[in-house]
Amino acid sequence: MVKINTCVFISGKGSNLKNLIIHSRNKSFPIKISLVISNNKKAYGINYAKKFKIPFIFINTRLKNYENKILFNFKKYNISFICLAGYMKIISNNLIKKYKRKIINIHPSLLPKFKGLNTFSRMLKNNEKKGGCTVHYVNKKLDSGSTIIQKSFIINKKDNELSLKKKTQKLEYKAYPEAIIKIFKKS
């Protein structure tokens, strides 16, 4: 099986990155993580790239030409698929155009509800009955691309932001790999 060279973008802890790396080590999993990009030099997730000997780069998104650095590295590592995993920056329209339906993201809510940040506090404030996660294609509008997979759980009265985050992450670790398998089964 020829695996698809994939770049994972992160900004923080990298638990979804770690999960994807572990899945990618399975012979039948369709992607190979060939590059990790972070916009945060202190992102803990970079440690997973180091541990699994995956090339990684830091991108300073405040610099004008940062996208050129991304594209240069995509070419260098022959990247043809992109996973956003806790990447806290908006992807440029130029990148979205160049990689149409080749960029996916995981979001900690049942989209279209609670796009953007602070999803757990907003869920609680709204007295939501269900929480969950959505893996979707990235398009020009924030958290608005077509859904690949959603997984949900029931929110109970004892839940708080931390418990919602834990429940959501548990589902994310299942949903993200399933979404990737689903995408490449089609193609």
Side-chain angles (χ1 to χ4, degrees):
M1 172 187 217
V2 176
K3 290 185 174 247
I4 309 300
N5 285 335
T6 299
C7 176
V8 180
F9 282 68
I10 64 168
S11 293
K13 287 198 171 85
S15 62
N16 271 302
L17 167 64
K18 179 186 176 191
N19 182 51
L20 289 177
I21 291 169
I22 290 165
H23 276 84
S24 73
R25 300 295 158 132
N26 180 324
K27 280 183 192 162
S28 65
F29 198 68
I31 67 167
K32 174 188 181 207
I33 298 172
S34 304
L35 180 65
V36 173
I37 290 179
S38 179
N39 66 319
N40 174 6
K41 275 186 178 161
K42 295 179 179 154
Y44 185 83
I46 290 170
N47 292 314
Y48 298 121
K50 289 176 184 174
K51 180 181 175 184
F52 290 97
K53 295 176 177 43
I54 297 168
F56 63 91
I57 59 168
F58 165 72
I59 295 291
N60 184 344
T61 53
R62 289 190 206 104
L63 299 178
K64 261 188 185 165
N65 65 346
Y66 80 90
E67 197 174 280
N68 293 338
K69 187 175 178 183
I70 291 172
L71 291 169
F72 171 82
N73 280 282
F74 279 3
K75 202 171 197 171
K76 181 179 175 181
Y77 293 101
N78 197 23
I79 300 300
S80 53
F81 193 68
I82 301 155
C83 296
L84 308 182
Y87 185 64
M88 304 310 280
K89 283 285 176 195
I90 306 270
I91 297 292
S92 76
N93 288 341
N94 184 39
L95 265 183
I96 291 168
K97 254 190 246 162
K98 277 185 169 41
Y99 288 87
K100 190 173 171 73
R101 292 189 74 80
K102 301 282 186 216
I103 307 173
I104 64 172
N105 181 42
I106 188 149
H107 185 75
S109 77
L110 298 171
L111 292 174
K113 285 186 170 187
F114 308 108
K115 296 175 183 179
L117 302 174
N118 306 313
T119 51
F120 305 125
S121 63
R122 289 163 46 210
M123 279 179 199
L124 291 169
K125 200 182 268 183
N126 224 38
N127 293 315
E128 289 296 311
K129 304 285 180 249
K130 272 184 169 180
C133 65
T134 306
V135 182
H136 64 93
Y137 288 102
V138 173
N139 66 12
K140 291 178 184 181
K141 290 175 96 183
L142 180 69
D143 296 330
S144 296
S146 55
T147 296
I148 303 158
I149 275 184
Q150 278 190 325
K151 291 199 176 288
S152 65
F153 60 85
I154 302 299
I155 297 175
N156 64 51
K157 287 184 179 8
K158 290 179 185 168
D159 276 319
N160 57 35
E161 285 185 46
L162 185 62
S163 66
L164 289 180
K165 181 179 180 176
K166 284 180 180 175
K167 286 180 178 183
T168 302
Q169 282 181 324
K170 201 172 175 181
L171 287 182
E172 286 178 346
Y173 302 151
K174 292 176 182 166
Y176 220 164
E178 281 178 29
I180 290 167
I181 290 166
K182 183 178 176 181
I183 289 166
F184 289 104
K185 263 189 181 163
K186 286 182 195 173
S187 53

